[in-house]
Amino acid sequence: MRVSDVFSYAFSAIRLRKLRAGLTTLGVVIGIAAIVALLSLAQGFQTTITAQFEKGFATNTLLVSPRSFGAAEASFPLYVTDTQTIDAIENVSMSVAIMQKTCFVNSSERNFTLNVIGVDFAKYKSIYESTFVAANGTIPSNPDNESIVIGARIRNPWQNGTVIADFGDAVEITWTKRNGTSPPKNETYTGRVVAVLNEIGGFSVGGPSDLGVYIPIAQAQGFFETDECNMIIVSLKNSDEATIKGVSEAIKDAFGGQVQVTSPTAVLEIISGVFSVVELFLAGIAGISLLVAGIGIMNIMIVSLMERTREIGILKALGMRSRAVLLIFLSEAIIIGLMGAAIGIVSGWVLANIFARFGLVGGNIQAGVQGAQGGAAITRMSITPVLTPTVFLGAFAFGVIVSVIFGLYPAWRASKLKPVEALRYE
């Protein structure tokens, strides 16, 4: 019996039992749709998060931060002058100290709690030349102590036209300090906004942020009354893995192993690894529904076998081989798997886009600007589902394979029926 005849006979058998075949196919559709929707959303989320992080990173940089030894011991301090030690290391282009404190920022009679960052404007702009860029005003290379640069979301945190600080505005910064057991004391100074950054988006680790308030490092040292810095950003001459590893080890050696050196590329690799595990977990959950559908296929085909016992007996009496009977039943399972996989992939892709379009996944991200009158600045992160060839082909193959596996036993039973017993079956 030719293969085309086997599939034609199997398809005819499915058409005679449309409702039963439809319900069986529906189980496969649900399982495949769940797999495609979850994995395409997860892949889209990973792509979005990675892109957001990459905006705040420079691949040829290292982040040097104090190494914490636990609650009982203080962390190893870093100082602004430590940049000189780092600059002397081979393959280091430059380094810049980051001094960050949480302050009250007052502008236009509104008070906000923000991170105020002291940094060397010229070096910082050289390292982050694509993101530390002014949309309004100019970032001075030699700023005076009153110069302030603000992120795009500081200007318009709620994205509704409510401007709280703009180019040329006076901004009052208040920092609450406390030494030992002495009462807290507020230190205040007034600066002027000389530049508003272009909107960056993304998450920032050391790099420019839409929610940053930047002041000259010299002013930060005097205002915060300290030379300690939170982080030193190191710009390398290239982003080769060997260079990153060599400079990282040299920096640790220079500080006696008392600092932590982080590579942005390593962070991105960790993020990718985490998402890979999450995707595998989601695929496992969705796969359970497909296994349930497989059990349904087996059940339906066993029922079909019982109903078609006399039919099989007649076919065998007319000379049909057991192998042909086996192929007919397997063909029915393959057809159900193919139709279920095809419809499931389309349905899953449509569902993923519906969820993403109407904000049922992702949602809003709290961005960390809290006003005195309430109302935190919100950043909306849109997720675009990504259907990779691996997911597409994997879902298709998985649907067919599950259908064949669970259809194998009923097909084997049908092929083993003896013609005389099958003809006597009522």
Side-chain angles (χ1 to χ4, degrees):
M1 194 171 186
R2 294 180 299 178
V3 175
S4 59
D5 294 333
V6 170
F7 274 96
S8 176
Y9 190 91
F11 190 71
S12 299
I14 291 175
R15 290 181 60 187
L16 289 175
R17 301 165 181 84
K18 293 176 183 162
L19 179 60
R20 182 181 299 166
L23 293 175
T24 306
T25 306
L26 181 61
V28 180
V29 169
I30 293 173
I32 295 297
I35 290 175
V36 171
L38 288 174
L39 292 185
S40 60
L41 284 171
Q43 186 66 41
F45 189 66
Q46 178 181 356
T47 302
T48 301
I49 291 293
T50 302
Q52 296 287 317
F53 269 101
E54 286 177 343
K55 287 181 180 179
F57 283 156
T59 56
N60 64 330
T61 61
L62 294 174
L63 310 178
V64 182
S65 55
R67 181 182 174 188
S68 179
F69 296 94
E73 300 181 52
S75 61
F76 181 82
L78 279 177
Y79 297 97
V80 175
T81 53
D82 287 334
T83 56
Q84 299 172 11
T85 302
I86 296 175
D87 288 340
I89 296 174
E90 185 181 2
N91 288 323
V92 171
S93 177
M94 70 174 69
S95 61
V96 58
I98 303 292
M99 187 180 293
Q100 180 174 301
K101 300 288 184 181
T102 301
C103 302
F104 293 103
V105 178
N106 188 288
S107 177
S108 303
E109 299 181 353
R110 290 174 179 265
N111 197 15
F112 296 88
T113 303
L114 294 168
N115 286 326
V116 175
I117 302 158
V119 69
D120 185 313
F121 285 0
K123 289 184 177 181
Y124 201 58
K125 184 178 180 180
S126 179
I127 294 174
Y128 297 101
E129 56 184 9
S130 63
T131 51
F132 197 63
V133 179
N136 295 318
T138 303
I139 301 174
S141 298
N142 297 303
D144 57 47
N145 288 339
E146 293 185 354
S147 298
I148 295 177
V149 175
I150 62 173
R153 295 301 302 278
I154 302 300
R155 179 182 180 274
N156 183 15
W158 299 287
Q159 296 184 337
N160 61 0
T162 303
V163 177
I164 63 171
D166 206 346
F167 169 65
D169 289 351
V171 174
E172 185 180 81
I173 297 177
T174 301
W175 178 59
T176 304
K177 69 174 183 177
R178 183 172 187 178
N179 295 322
T181 58
S182 61
K185 181 182 177 181
N186 288 336
E187 294 287 343
T188 302
Y189 92 96
T190 301
R192 188 165 298 278
V193 178
V194 297
V196 179
L197 298 179
N198 278 324
E199 186 166 357
I200 301 167
F203 304 97
S204 174
V205 180
S209 166
D210 290 330
L211 299 168
V213 176
Y214 301 90
I215 63 176
I217 188 67
Q219 172 64 13
Q221 288 175 271
F223 182 57
F224 299 133
E225 299 180 0
T226 182
D227 290 329
E228 284 192 34
C229 60
N230 302 81
M231 180 188 302
I232 295 177
I233 300 174
V234 183
S235 176
L236 307 179
K237 293 181 179 179
N238 58 68
S239 57
D240 294 341
E241 185 177 350
T243 300
I244 292 174
K245 185 176 180 180
V247 174
S248 298
E249 294 299 325
I251 292 174
K252 291 179 182 178
D253 292 341
F255 291 93
Q258 303 300 305
V259 296
Q260 181 176 337
V261 182
T262 305
S263 168
T265 54
V267 175
L268 291 176
E269 288 175 1
I270 292 172
I271 293 172
S272 298
V274 170
F275 273 107
S276 296
V277 174
V278 171
E279 288 180 9
L280 185 61
F281 177 72
L282 292 176
I285 293 176
I288 293 174
S289 62
L290 191 56
L291 292 177
V292 173
I295 295 173
I297 291 174
M298 180 184 289
N299 183 49
I300 291 297
M301 292 189 69
I302 289 176
V303 173
S304 177
L305 170 63
M306 296 173 63
E307 291 180 347
R308 297 162 62 186
T309 301
R310 288 179 61 83
E311 176 188 339
I312 294 169
I314 293 172
L315 292 173
K316 281 199 165 187
L318 293 175
M320 181 176 284
R321 296 182 178 181
S322 297
R323 180 181 177 184
V325 175
L326 176 69
L327 289 176
I328 288 173
F329 274 80
L330 281 180
S331 297
E332 292 181 20
I334 291 173
I335 292 171
I336 290 174
L338 287 172
M339 291 191 301
I343 298 172
I345 290 172
V346 175
S347 301
W349 178 243
V350 171
L351 285 174
N353 280 275
I354 290 175
F355 287 140
R357 181 179 179 83
F358 293 98
L360 300 179
V361 294
N364 296 323
I365 293 179
Q366 201 77 8
V369 178
Q370 184 67 46
Q373 293 115 349
I378 298 296
T379 299
R380 177 171 289 276
M381 181 179 64
S382 60
I383 296 175
T384 302
V386 176
L387 181 59
T388 62
T390 302
V391 173
F392 179 85
L393 296 176
F396 210 93
F398 194 39
V400 175
I401 290 172
V402 168
S403 299
V404 171
I405 289 175
F406 282 94
L408 190 58
Y409 174 70
W412 176 80
R413 280 190 55 180
S415 68
K416 293 301 179 181
L417 286 175
K418 295 180 180 180
V420 176
E421 294 180 359
L423 288 172
R424 289 187 304 184
Y425 183 82
E426 293 297 335

